[in-house]
Amino acid sequence: MERPYDDIRENLKRIRETMAQAALASGRLPEDVQLLGVTKTVPPDRINAALEAGVTAIGENRVQEFLEKRDALHLEGAGVHLIGHLQTNKVSKIVGLVDMIESVDSVRLAKAVSDASVKSGRVTDILVEVNIGREEAKSGVFSENLEEMLEEIRLFPGIRVCGLMTVPPILETEKEKRAIFSQMYKLFIDIKGKNRDNVLMNVLSMGMSGDYREAILEGATLVRVGSALFGRRAYPPR
Ligand SMILES: *Cc1c(COP(=O)(O)O)cnc(C)c1O
């Protein structure tokens, strides 16, 4: 008989196996790559089942949705990342409630996160979102503007720049997927090599359900997996 949440446990096992193989193939250890369970539109009972099964960090897209679900989540010891587009007027609601904001895509937003963090006496870990595929409909900075942005935001006292995040275009072939992730990795290593104060470059967040294996093969340290873990989303995220 199927027990409730068996699907999540089985999916998790499969994802971890794929992740471990890809990590080893890229010359790293399985524990060098972190899994973020993406929980947008997923109800709290299923999120809790994933946490119980060993998922150590979750990613939510929308501030409002996270605030609504938060009290029902068993988050003891688990990390929470904000991964969706963040408006500056929502910043003060989320700072202090998440461990990392992955989707910082402008100096203005970085400043807002820093200001809110300083005000509440903390430093917030952030990633800068890069629009690697230069897609009009997507947020993220273009790679040629990244250095200038980092020079500016690294001086903000309320944030720590931990790395880069990207949502690449949807591509069909393994070769195409790997090529774009490889571009991101080069950018990441380039910036890391410059060793700027307050720009750590320890986290490279890339890869989702359809391409996390390729992302790890090309150097991702964090993959954001939703539907492969929880099943198809019942309703589209707003
Ligand atoms: C929804 C989402 C994911 C996960 O997508 P899946 O294809 O369901 O794994 C990852 N990152 C971001 C930014 C997302 O919005």
Side-chain angles (χ1 to χ4, degrees), residues 36-40 59-61 83-85 102-103 129 165-167 205 207-212 223-229 231 233 237:
L36 194 72
V38 173
T39 51
K40 63 178 176 233
E60 277 283 348
N61 283 64
I83 62 173
H85 185 66
E102 295 200 13
S103 40
E129 182 172 357
M165 179 270 223
T166 196
V167 182
S205 172
M208 319 198 324
S209 291
D211 54 16
Y212 68 93
V223 292
R224 309 178 308 268
V225 178
S227 46
L229 179 60
R233 281 182 283 276

Coordinates of all heavy atoms in Angstrom, one line a residue, residues 36-40 59-61 83-85 102-103 129 165-167 205 207-212 223-229 231 233 237, ligand 1:
L36 N 18.0 22.6 -3.0 CA 17.0 23.5 -2.5 C 15.7 23.0 -3.0 O 15.5 22.9 -4.2 CB 17.2 24.9 -3.0 CG 16.5 26.1 -2.4 CD1 17.0 26.4 -1.0 CD2 16.6 27.3 -3.2
G37 N 14.8 22.6 -2.1 CA 13.4 22.1 -2.6 C 12.6 23.4 -2.8 O 12.3 24.2 -1.9
V38 N 12.1 23.5 -4.1 CA 11.3 24.7 -4.4 C 9.9 24.4 -4.1 O 9.3 23.5 -4.7 CB 11.6 25.1 -5.9 CG1 10.6 26.2 -6.3 CG2 13.0 25.5 -6.1
T39 N 9.3 25.2 -3.2 CA 8.0 24.9 -2.6 C 6.9 25.9 -3.0 O 5.8 25.9 -2.4 CB 8.2 24.9 -1.1 OG1 8.8 26.2 -0.7 CG2 9.0 23.8 -0.6
K40 N 7.1 26.6 -4.1 CA 6.0 27.5 -4.5 C 4.8 26.7 -4.9 O 5.0 25.6 -5.6 CB 6.4 28.4 -5.7 CG 6.8 27.7 -6.9 CD 7.2 28.6 -8.0 CE 7.7 27.9 -9.2 NZ 9.0 28.3 -9.8
G59 N 13.1 26.8 -1.1 CA 13.1 28.0 -1.8 C 11.6 28.4 -2.1 O 10.8 27.6 -2.7
E60 N 11.3 29.7 -1.8 CA 9.9 30.2 -2.1 C 10.1 31.4 -3.0 O 11.1 32.1 -3.0 CB 9.2 30.6 -0.8 CG 8.5 29.5 0.0 CD 7.2 29.1 -0.7 OE1 6.7 29.8 -1.5 OE2 6.7 28.0 -0.2
N61 N 9.1 31.5 -3.9 CA 9.2 32.6 -4.9 C 8.6 33.9 -4.4 O 9.1 35.0 -4.7 CB 8.4 32.2 -6.2 CG 9.2 31.3 -7.0 OD1 9.5 30.2 -6.5 ND2 9.7 31.7 -8.1
I83 N 13.7 33.0 -3.9 CA 14.2 32.9 -5.2 C 13.5 33.6 -6.3 O 13.9 33.6 -7.4 CB 14.3 31.3 -5.6 CG1 12.9 30.7 -5.6 CG2 15.2 30.6 -4.6 CD1 13.0 29.3 -6.1
G84 N 12.3 34.2 -5.9 CA 11.5 34.9 -6.9 C 11.8 36.4 -6.9 O 12.5 36.9 -6.0
H85 N 11.3 37.0 -7.9 CA 11.5 38.5 -8.1 C 10.9 39.2 -6.8 O 9.9 38.9 -6.3 CB 10.7 39.0 -9.3 CG 10.9 40.4 -9.6 ND1 12.2 40.9 -9.9 CD2 10.1 41.5 -9.5 CE1 12.1 42.2 -10.1 NE2 10.9 42.6 -9.8
E102 N 18.1 35.1 -3.1 CA 18.9 34.7 -4.3 C 18.7 35.6 -5.5 O 19.4 35.6 -6.5 CB 18.5 33.3 -4.7 CG 18.9 32.2 -3.7 CD 19.0 30.8 -4.4 OE1 19.0 30.7 -5.6 OE2 19.1 29.9 -3.6
S103 N 17.6 36.4 -5.4 CA 17.1 37.1 -6.6 C 17.4 38.6 -6.6 O 16.5 39.4 -7.0 CB 15.6 36.8 -6.8 OG 15.0 36.8 -5.5
E129 N 21.3 37.9 -9.2 CA 20.7 37.1 -10.3 C 21.2 37.6 -11.7 O 21.1 38.8 -11.9 CB 19.2 37.2 -10.2 CG 18.5 36.4 -11.3 CD 17.0 36.3 -11.2 OE1 16.4 36.8 -10.2 OE2 16.3 35.7 -12.1
M165 N 23.2 33.6 -9.1 CA 22.0 32.8 -9.4 C 21.6 33.0 -10.8 O 21.7 34.2 -11.3 CB 20.9 33.1 -8.4 CG 19.7 32.3 -8.6 SD 18.5 33.0 -9.7 CE 17.0 32.8 -8.8
T166 N 21.1 32.0 -11.5 CA 20.5 32.3 -12.8 C 19.4 31.3 -13.1 O 19.3 30.2 -12.6 CB 21.6 32.2 -13.9 OG1 21.1 32.8 -15.1 CG2 22.0 30.7 -14.2
V167 N 18.5 31.8 -13.9 CA 17.4 30.9 -14.5 C 17.6 31.0 -16.1 O 17.3 32.0 -16.7 CB 16.0 31.4 -14.2 CG1 14.9 30.5 -14.8 CG2 15.8 31.6 -12.7
S205 N 24.1 29.2 -7.9 CA 22.8 28.6 -7.9 C 22.2 28.5 -9.3 O 21.9 29.5 -9.9 CB 21.8 29.5 -7.0 OG 20.5 29.0 -7.1
G207 N 20.3 25.4 -12.2 CA 19.7 24.1 -12.4 C 18.4 23.9 -11.7 O 18.3 24.2 -10.5
M208 N 17.4 23.5 -12.5 CA 16.1 23.2 -12.0 C 15.7 21.8 -12.4 O 16.6 21.0 -12.8 CB 15.1 24.2 -12.5 CG 15.7 25.6 -12.6 SD 14.6 27.1 -12.7 CE 13.3 26.5 -13.7
S209 N 14.4 21.4 -12.2 CA 14.0 20.0 -12.5 C 14.5 19.5 -13.8 O 14.9 18.3 -13.9 CB 12.5 19.9 -12.4 OG 12.1 20.1 -11.1
G210 N 14.5 20.3 -14.8 CA 14.8 19.8 -16.2 C 16.3 19.8 -16.5 O 16.7 19.3 -17.6
D211 N 17.1 20.4 -15.7 CA 18.5 20.6 -16.1 C 19.5 20.6 -14.9 O 20.6 21.1 -15.1 CB 18.6 21.8 -16.9 CG 18.1 23.1 -16.3 OD1 17.9 23.1 -15.1 OD2 17.9 24.1 -17.0
Y212 N 19.1 20.1 -13.7 CA 20.0 20.2 -12.6 C 21.2 19.3 -12.8 O 22.3 19.7 -12.3 CB 19.2 19.9 -11.3 CG 18.8 18.5 -11.1 CD1 19.5 17.6 -10.4 CD2 17.5 18.1 -11.5 CE1 19.1 16.3 -10.2 CE2 17.0 16.8 -11.3 CZ 17.8 15.9 -10.7 OH 17.4 14.6 -10.5
V223 N 21.3 23.6 -6.4 CA 20.3 23.4 -7.5 C 18.9 23.6 -6.9 O 18.7 23.3 -5.7 CB 20.4 22.0 -8.2 CG1 21.6 21.9 -9.0 CG2 20.3 20.9 -7.2
R224 N 18.0 24.2 -7.6 CA 16.7 24.5 -7.1 C 15.7 23.6 -7.8 O 15.3 23.8 -9.0 CB 16.4 26.0 -7.4 CG 17.5 27.0 -7.0 CD 17.1 28.4 -7.4 NE 16.8 28.5 -8.8 CZ 17.6 28.9 -9.7 NH1 18.9 29.1 -9.5 NH2 17.2 28.9 -11.0
V225 N 15.2 22.7 -7.1 CA 14.3 21.6 -7.7 C 12.9 21.6 -7.1 O 12.7 21.4 -5.9 CB 15.0 20.2 -7.6 CG1 14.1 19.2 -8.2 CG2 16.4 20.2 -8.2
G226 N 11.9 21.9 -8.0 CA 10.5 21.9 -7.6 C 9.8 20.7 -8.0 O 9.5 19.7 -7.3
S227 N 9.3 20.7 -9.3 CA 8.4 19.7 -9.8 C 9.0 18.3 -9.8 O 8.2 17.3 -9.6 CB 7.9 20.1 -11.2 OG 8.9 20.5 -12.0
A228 N 10.3 18.1 -9.9 CA 10.8 16.8 -9.9 C 10.7 16.2 -8.5 O 10.8 15.0 -8.3 CB 12.3 16.8 -10.4
L229 N 10.6 17.1 -7.5 CA 10.5 16.6 -6.1 C 9.1 16.5 -5.6 O 8.7 15.5 -5.0 CB 11.3 17.6 -5.2 CG 11.3 17.3 -3.7 CD1 11.9 16.0 -3.4 CD2 12.0 18.4 -3.0
G231 N 6.2 16.9 -7.7 CA 5.3 16.6 -8.7 C 4.8 17.9 -9.4 O 5.2 19.0 -9.0
R233 N 3.1 21.2 -10.5 CA 2.4 22.2 -9.7 C 0.9 22.2 -10.1 O 0.6 22.2 -11.3 CB 3.1 23.5 -9.8 CG 4.3 23.7 -9.0 CD 4.9 25.0 -9.1 NE 5.7 25.2 -10.4 CZ 6.9 24.8 -10.6 NH1 7.6 24.2 -9.6 NH2 7.5 25.0 -11.7
P237 N 2.2 29.4 -10.6 CA 2.6 30.5 -9.6 C 2.3 31.8 -10.2 O 2.4 32.1 -11.4 CB 4.1 30.3 -9.6 CG 4.5 29.6 -10.9 CD 3.3 28.8 -11.2
Ligands
LIG1 C1 9.9 27.4 -9.9 C2 11.4 27.7 -9.8 C3 12.3 26.7 -9.7 C4 12.0 25.2 -9.8 O1 11.4 24.9 -11.0 P1 11.1 23.3 -11.4 O2 11.3 23.3 -12.8 O3 9.8 23.0 -10.9 O4 12.2 22.5 -10.7 C5 13.6 27.1 -9.6 N1 14.0 28.3 -9.6 C6 13.1 29.4 -9.7 C7 13.6 30.8 -9.6 C8 11.8 29.1 -9.8 O5 10.9 30.1 -9.9

